[in-house]
Amino acid sequence: MWRVIPGQALQYRVWDDEFVLYNNLSGDTHLLGANAVHVLLALQHAAADEETLITSLCLSLGIERDEESPLQVAQLLADLQSLSLIEHNAC
Amino acid sequence: MLTVSALTRSELGARLQQAGIHLQTGAFITCLQTSIPSVVDGIGLLYADYPLLENTDFADFHIRLTRPRGIRRWFKPQVTFMYDGMSLFKPLPLDQAFPMFEWGLNWCVSSRANRYLIIHAAVVEKDGYAAILPAPPGSGKSTLCAALVSQGWRLFSDELALIRTIDGRLVPLPRPISLKNGSIDIIRRYAPQAILSRAVSDTTKGTVAHLKVPADSIARAEEVARPAWVIFPKYEADAAPRLEPIPRARSFMRVAENAFNYSLLGASGFDALASIIDASLSYQFTYSKLDDAIEIFSKLKPLA
């Protein structure tokens, strides 16, 4: 399961579909796209696995899931993990 | 209110040499002590209109410019910048004493005034709306700032944008504008009435001179302004003037890169910068002629 790292406040602003997010745990600021923020907010609501996130993302974008979707979400999750915004928990 | 201009050259020199003077520059009080003639001259010329505070012991910054003792005093003489009694920088050639005062005072503000979000940017204001011009050295920021000020824009700063974290308002810090190399003659020609300090050559920045701030900017140093534009200037030889909108999120990231204490302020720095971006239109501005720049700036409209 993926989850937002505990203590992460997800403080952000949006202008013209681009997001600027302040990472209160690292002190860094990140420029993110709408998909990344959608995933973060979904994980802030509740921890989720990749399948759930794929479904949620496709629903929000109004698109059908295709064979590329798992790879794209996996990459997105890896990117957010590398920014110390989310973490993967085996449980 | 007593200003530096009320003192004769010899009175100013005597005060600087003895107890020092308490100089008000915007929101800050600097206690300056020195016996170096070029600094006395620079203060007398460029700070003539600044308030001189008497009967006060308080100062935000205690600065002393001294000549190191020993053989260097006579052989390639130098100047040392003392902050709160400590020497924090390598001494410079004595000829660079006044520029060192200006650079050192910039350091004091940018490293100590953390009640503000501080951006490396020029700021000018007209009709209550401020334009923030963040830019790295070499972009023509100070030249453009000097030209705008010569054409009626009020100077907030040519180096340090001070943003109040409580409300995102810009706070003036009108101090002499630092001009370098070719910019010195460009401004001498563009604004013949402007008063410049003696050009000092062979500094780490090349040849530098400082431009006196219009008296109106100093007199209104307590009047804050709302941000209206974030403009990234870039001088490009022979380029036609171009004012191109920048997505705000990208503008945010670029301004943050030009901040001195954004990371230090944490979430309040984020909020302060976000309030600036919320209130402003962001542009990339490329120019080669100051007249073009003045005309384009005169047509800027704030957000409705």
Side-chain angles (χ1 to χ4, degrees):
Chain A
M1 297 286 274
W2 289 94
R3 66 173 185 172
V4 172
I5 292 181
Q8 182 58 254
L10 295 186
Q11 186 177 355
Y12 69 91
R13 298 292 182 97
V14 56
W15 295 283
D16 310 318
D17 284 338
E18 286 187 318
F19 293 73
V20 173
L21 183 140
Y22 178 67
N23 184 336
N24 60 301
L25 298 181
S26 70
D28 293 332
T29 303
H30 310 295
L31 178 64
L32 300 173
N35 291 354
V37 173
H38 177 87
V39 166
L40 284 171
L41 295 178
L43 292 177
Q44 187 182 39
H45 179 67
D49 59 19
E50 288 189 29
E51 284 302 312
T52 306
L53 292 170
I54 292 167
T55 304
S56 167
L57 201 50
C58 289
L59 198 63
S60 80
L61 295 173
I63 59 171
E64 293 291 324
R65 175 189 172 124
D66 61 23
E67 66 274 13
E68 295 287 314
S69 302
L71 194 62
Q72 289 167 349
V73 170
Q75 185 59 56
L76 191 54
L77 291 167
D79 289 344
L80 295 174
Q81 187 179 30
S82 73
L83 297 177
S84 301
L85 293 168
I86 63 173
E87 63 185 7
H88 191 250
N89 188 327
C91 302
Chain B
M1 177 179 288
L2 184 69
T3 60
V4 171
S5 63
L7 304 179
T8 64
R9 169 65 174 76
S10 61
E11 288 170 338
L12 178 62
R15 285 206 192 190
L16 278 165
Q17 186 169 6
Q18 293 158 12
I21 61 170
H22 284 69
L23 197 58
Q24 177 101 44
T25 53
F28 305 104
I29 299 170
T30 299
C31 177
L32 172 64
Q33 194 181 19
T34 188
S35 59
I36 297 172
S38 65
V39 180
V40 181
D41 291 339
I43 296 293
L45 179 69
L46 299 184
Y47 285 85
D49 300 321
Y50 288 75
L52 203 54
L53 304 181
E54 296 195 292
N55 306 318
T56 180
D57 288 329
F58 175 78
D60 295 279
F61 313 119
H62 292 267
I63 294 172
R64 212 152 47 92
L65 288 156
T66 62
R67 294 178 60 182
R69 295 187 181 283
I71 196 167
R72 294 290 312 224
R73 195 170 178 83
W74 311 110
F75 174 70
K76 292 188 177 177
Q78 294 181 314
V79 55
T80 301
F81 183 96
M82 309 284 287
Y83 172 78
D84 274 353
M86 292 178 293
S87 172
L88 302 177
F89 310 106
K90 282 173 62 178
L92 292 177
L94 183 60
D95 192 43
Q96 299 179 23
F98 185 73
M100 192 183 206
F101 166 68
E102 290 294 328
W103 299 332
L105 192 48
N106 284 344
W107 176 87
C108 290
V109 175
S110 64
S111 63
R112 293 289 182 270
N114 291 314
R115 62 185 184 272
Y116 304 105
L117 173 63
I118 306 173
I119 312 292
H120 185 205
V123 182
V124 290
E125 176 267 353
K126 198 172 243 186
D127 301 328
Y129 294 102
I132 304 169
L133 283 59
S139 56
K141 163 176 63 74
S142 292
T143 317
L144 177 57
C145 176
L148 288 164
V149 167
S150 78
Q151 298 298 313
W153 287 73
R154 176 160 70 111
L155 177 72
F156 270 48
S157 175
D158 80 314
E159 283 284 334
L160 302 170
L162 303 181
I163 299 162
R164 270 197 321 216
T165 53
I166 47 166
D167 61 5
R169 290 289 200 258
L170 287 145
V171 176
L173 180 59
R175 297 218 346 262
I177 298 174
S178 173
L179 298 171
K180 297 185 281 289
N181 303 315
S183 298
I184 298 168
D185 280 337
I186 288 171
I187 292 301
R188 277 196 181 122
R189 285 194 299 270
Y190 190 78
Q193 77 286 2
I195 295 171
L196 279 92
S197 64
R198 177 178 63 85
V200 177
S201 56
D202 298 325
T203 79
T204 54
K205 300 168 188 259
T207 299
V208 298
H210 287 83
L211 177 75
K212 187 178 181 185
V213 178
D216 175 66
S217 296
I218 300 165
R220 296 172 60 194
E222 291 182 5
E223 288 180 35
V224 300
R226 71 188 81 177
W229 308 282
V230 176
I231 301 175
F232 298 89
K234 187 172 189 312
Y235 171 81
E236 203 174 285
D238 303 322
R242 297 193 306 274
L243 188 69
E244 301 160 299
I246 297 176
R248 286 172 163 183
R250 286 159 200 270
S251 176
F252 182 109
M253 298 301 284
R254 288 178 67 180
V255 176
E257 284 168 14
N258 281 281
F260 287 95
N261 59 349
Y262 172 75
S263 296
L264 183 74
L265 294 180
S268 67
F270 178 86
D271 285 335
L273 183 48
S275 75
I276 292 285
I277 299 296
D278 271 335
S280 304
L281 295 163
S282 291
Y283 297 103
Q284 176 73 43
F285 178 52
T286 307
Y287 75 101
S288 59
K289 294 179 183 156
L290 290 173
D291 281 336
D292 292 340
I294 299 300
E295 186 181 348
I296 284 179
F297 271 67
S298 73
K299 292 177 180 168
L300 287 170
K301 300 276 183 239
L303 274 171

